[in-house]
Structures are given as C-alpha cells and as structure tokens.
Amino acid sequence: MPLRRNRALIIGGSIGGLFAAHLLRRAGWDAVIFERSAGDLADRGAGLGITAELFDVMRRVGLKLSRSLAFHVHSSIWLDQKGEIGCETSRGWHSSAWAIIYKPLRAAFPSENYRTGMTLDRVAQNGDTVTAAFADGTREQGDLLVAADGVYSTVRRQFLPQIEPRAAGYIAWRGLVDEKDLPQGAHELLFDRSAFSLPEGELVVSLPVPGPDNDMRPGHRRYYFIWYRPADAARRAALFTDASGRSHGLTIPPPLIRPEFIAAMKAAARAGLPPILGEIVARAPQPLLQSISDMEAPQMVFGRVALLGDSAFVARPHVAAGATKAALDAACLADSLAASGDDVDTGLARYERERLAFGRAIVAHSRYLGAYLEAQLKPRAERSAAELERDPRQIIADYGAPHLVHGVDPASLDD
Ligand SMILES: Cc1cc2nc3c(=O)[nH]c(=O)nc-3n(C[C@H](O)[C@H](O)[C@H](O)COP(=O)(O)OP(=O)(O)OC[C@H]3O[C@@H](n4cnc5c(N)ncnc54)[C@H](O)[C@@H]3O)c2cc1C
C-alpha cells in the first residue's frame, strides 16, 4: 500500500499561497489551495518590486525566467523642485507587475488543487490534525494549515486577535500613465531611470513599468509613481470615506475615492511637485490611494498552523519586497519541513525561528525609510536631525531592502 502523503491546506491563492503550494508539492506533500475570490485575481494589481531572490524561488518552482518578466532601469536620479537632475547614481532597479508574477505561478499549478470561492471561517486543531471550516459549510482536514490569506488574515485574527496593521501617519497616491500620454520631455528625462523627488515633508518615487499584458515594447509601456504625503488620523478618515459616508479603513476601492480629493491631489501635484512629475501625476486616469501601515506578528506558528507572507509581516512599500518576502517564507517552510523528515513540529519551529528574524528586520528597515515622512506630524521642534534633513543620495542608496538584491543578472535569465 502506498504511504499516505502529508496534506497541507493552503488558505489564500495569491503569490504567497501559490509559492507555498508549489514548493510543498515538490517536497512530497499533497497541497490544496482554498481561495476566497471566485474570479480571476490577475485582473487586479499594479507595479511590483523584483529581486534576484524572488526569481531564484520562481526557478525552484520550475518556471522559465524570461527577460519579459521584468523591466530594468539602469540608474536613479533625484529631481529637484525645478525639475532639474540634482544627482544621479548607478542604483538600478527591476520592476514588474503583480499579474506577471502571479499568472505563471497559477498556470503551472494543477487546477483541481486550486479551489476558488472558498472563504475560510475558522480553524480547529486536534493533535496532529488541523480542520479548516469554510463559509459554505464544508470542512477539510490536513496535517498542516498555511495561512497565506494576506494582511487581514482570518487565521491570524483567530490566533492573534490583538495584532492589526498600524497606520504610519502618511498616505500614498499611486498611479500609472501610458507612455503615449506622457508630457513632452518626460520620455528622454525619465524612461531609463527611476526618479526620486523630495518636496518638503513628502516623497515621490517613480519609474517605468511594463504596459498592459506585460507589454515591454517602446510606446506601449507605462510610467508608475507613488507619492507619499503626511496625513493625520482625521485626514485619513476623510480620505478613506466614500461619497455615501462609508469608511473603508486603510485603503479604498479606486472608483470610490471622492472626485474632489482626486482633483485637490492633482492641483497640489501641479503646484508643488517638479513640473514634469506634477504633470504626470495630474494625467493619471485612475489614481489609487492607500494609508501606509505596517504589521509584525510576534509568533508565526500555532501548533500545525503557520502564517506566511502578508498574514505575518507587512513592511511599508519603501522596501519593495512583499512578493519576495512571501516567496522566501514559502521556500523556508518547504526546506524546513523537508529537513525534519516526518517531524513536522520541528520543521515548523525552524521555519518560525528563521522567518520571524527576517520579517522583523525588513519591517524595521521600512520604518527607517519612512521615519522622515512619519515625523511630519510632530511639531518641528520635536523632530530629530534625521527627521528634519534628508540627503537625496543617501535616500536612494538606502531605498529597498538591504538584505535583498534588487535586480536580476540578465545572464541568469533563460532568454
Ligand atoms: C489581487 C492582488 C493584487 C495585488 N497587487 C499588488 C501590486 O500590484 N503590488 C504589490 O506590491 N502588491 C500587490 N499585492 C499584494 C502582494 O501580493 C503581497 O504583498 C505579497 O505578494 C504577499 O502576498 P500574500 O500571498 O501573502 O498575500 P495577498 O497577496 O494579500 O493574498 C492573500 C490572498 O488570500 C485570500 N484570502 C483572504 N482571506 C481569505 C479567507 N478567509 N479564505 C480564503 N482566502 C482568503 C485573498 O483573496 C488573497 O488572494 C496584490 C495582492 C492581490 C491579492
């Protein structure tokens, strides 16, 4: 009789859940994904930071890594308030889009093990068995449950009800502008580089990204910006409340952002940003808005339940590493379980030890990168020197995550 394979219930079928399911299957587990959304997730998403580590894990999954997965900029510039280049450094970046990473992961995963429209309600444990109860009344049993259900994780809220994302005191407007719609001069100045701009109390980071459907052809790409602005609790409450008076918390569906806030933001962009950037921001057809927050779980393993990706740690976007963190969590989980053989609990203990340390470090660095923005809510006299002064070269050098390689060696790609 064949031996029974260990069974993992993966809650959440986004990037973290897919990496975990692929790698556990490769380590000999039976892995089934339960995803709340009934539709295609690939319809959503925007720009995503790419690291060498993310591509390493994709290769482990067996995916072909083509040049078309990421867009490369060769340097970074600081644009002063007049729109002149204040400095240029050789810091390059690779960027991509969420769907470009998600789609091949999803396509390579067996459909019969990816169940959509399944919303987890609750988890129960009995000895070495974990039971997931779903909103439709069904129950599933396994030897392990992986909570890859994102920042508002149902699983984390059950085991750590006190842990929630904490607003950092600033918000971000994000947007994409088609290459063909860029203002005159933007192309020559901006298209090969990432551009940083430091208006008083604020920060704009911008760079070119692939166009719709991963289109890298000149003329078909897009320009992405993220504009960080201080906002106290009252301001955030107003921004994230729609016209019907409904509050949406830390983010808001883009079509529900009140038109007067978008108009005011675009007017402020034209008045206060370097002219070329202000014009780009003002041309974004549907800006996105989020409150910047972070979150740290003090524990990632609860018996046979393991938190993974954004359910455990959320770093502020300055580190550009959400997808990489989820991929590395998944790789560590699969490796730790493989190394411990039949002793699942020992494997989980090793996973937790390693990933808690990584999660804490990356959140701490993201707070350091956002400290100046967060300090804007304090009276000037109470701010430290680092919170008052900014050195553009230092900001560019520190941006991203220091323990990750924000770029991919083109020679390492398959075509
Ligand atoms: C559609 C989508 C688009 C995104 N676009 C971007 C982007 O453009 N740029 C970027 O930097 N990051 C984006 N992210 C976030 C990014 O995926 C994460 O920061 C990172 O990759 C870690 O992913 P995760 O798998 O841990 O969590 P998430 O990507 O947040 O995925 C969590 C998944 O769990 C599912 N889920 C939640 N609750 C339940 C439940 N109770 N039962 C079953 N399923 C549940 C959700 O539907 C979701 O698919 C996006 C996420 C999603 C879901």
Side-chain angles (χ1 to χ4, degrees), residues 369-381:
L369 292 173
Y372 170 86
L373 294 158
E374 191 166 358
Q376 298 305 312
L377 296 181
K378 292 190 207 168
R380 228 182 134 71

Side-chain angles (χ1 to χ4, degrees), residues 11-17 34-37 41 44-48 98 118-120 148-150 154 308-310 322-323 326:
I11 309 302
S14 169
I15 286 181
F34 300 91
E35 165 57 44
R36 177 176 60 191
S37 296
L41 290 177
R44 298 183 270 163
L48 196 76
W98 184 86
M118 297 290 288
T119 301
L120 178 91
D149 51 347
T154 306
L308 181 144
D310 281 4

Side-chain angles (χ1 to χ4, degrees), residues 13-15 18 40-42 98-106 114:
S14 169
I15 286 181
L18 278 164
D40 187 1
L41 290 177
W98 184 86
I100 292 175
I101 303 303
Y102 164 81
K103 276 184 188 170
L105 281 169
R106 175 75 179 89
Y114 191 105

Side-chain angles (χ1 to χ4, degrees), residues 308-371:
L308 181 144
D310 281 4
S311 74
F313 287 91
V314 176
R316 302 183 194 176
H318 313 297
V319 289
T324 301
K325 179 167 64 60
L328 291 175
D329 281 357
C332 179
L333 180 65
D335 290 345
S336 302
L337 290 169
S340 63
D342 285 339
D343 187 352
V344 174
D345 298 319
T346 298
L348 290 176
R350 175 178 150 184
Y351 165 73
E352 181 178 56
R353 209 167 41 246
E354 289 187 19
R355 300 318 292 167
L356 275 178
F358 184 92
R360 283 177 186 142
I362 206 157
V363 170
H365 189 70
S366 77
R367 287 180 181 155
Y368 158 74
L369 292 173

Side-chain angles (χ1 to χ4, degrees), residues 40-261:
D40 187 1
L41 290 177
D43 293 343
R44 298 183 270 163
L48 196 76
I50 292 294
T51 62
E53 290 83 353
L54 176 68
F55 273 21
D56 286 347
V57 184
M58 289 180 77
R59 187 168 275 120
R60 271 186 64 174
V61 164
L63 298 177
K64 190 166 163 339
L65 296 183
S66 79
R67 280 169 209 276
S68 62
L69 283 175
F71 192 89
H72 188 210
V73 294
H74 301 276
S75 67
S76 297
I77 55 173
W78 163 50
L79 277 187
D80 67 19
Q81 281 305 97
K82 288 195 212 123
E84 309 283 332
I85 297 180
C87 71
E88 177 156 15
T89 81
S90 60
R91 182 94 203 253
W93 300 91
H94 276 84
S95 66
S96 188
W98 184 86
I100 292 175
I101 303 303
Y102 164 81
K103 276 184 188 170
L105 281 169
R106 175 75 179 89
F109 194 74
S111 288
E112 64 275 18
N113 278 18
Y114 191 105
R115 314 242 181 105
T116 54
M118 297 290 288
T119 301
L120 178 91
D121 258 355
R122 210 143 176 95
V123 180
Q125 301 196 64
N126 186 1
D128 291 346
T129 302
V130 56
T131 304
F134 294 90
D136 66 358
T138 54
R139 283 167 192 275
E140 292 281 343
Q141 286 197 332
D143 306 281
L144 170 67
L145 182 141
V146 178
D149 51 347
V151 57
Y152 300 112
S153 165
T154 306
V155 182
R156 187 196 67 243
R157 283 175 163 168
Q158 178 179 334
F159 289 94
L160 294 170
Q162 73 284 14
I163 302 297
E164 284 293 323
R166 189 186 65 87
Y170 54 102
I171 53 107
W173 287 98
R174 293 190 288 150
L176 286 164
V177 179
D178 286 345
E179 191 174 353
K180 64 176 173 38
D181 296 332
L182 289 175
Q184 211 187 1
H187 205 274
E188 302 70 46
L189 182 67
L190 299 173
F191 235 74
D192 256 351
R193 306 148 157 164
S194 67
F196 289 70
S197 157
L198 312 175
E200 182 66 28
E202 303 183 345
L203 170 69
V204 187
V205 182
S206 61
L207 76 173
V209 294
D213 293 329
N214 190 18
D215 203 335
M216 304 271 188
R217 289 174 302 155
H220 298 260
R221 300 163 295 183
R222 290 190 288 199
Y223 200 71
Y224 171 76
F225 67 83
I226 179 160
W227 180 15
Y228 298 99
R229 313 193 74 188
D232 62 16
R235 176 79 183 138
R236 295 196 302 273
L239 285 169
F240 294 96
T241 300
D242 66 27
S244 75
R246 181 169 167 227
S247 165
H248 294 266
L250 294 172
T251 182
I252 179 167
L256 298 184
I257 304 171
R258 302 223 308 257
E260 62 269 32
F261 289 140

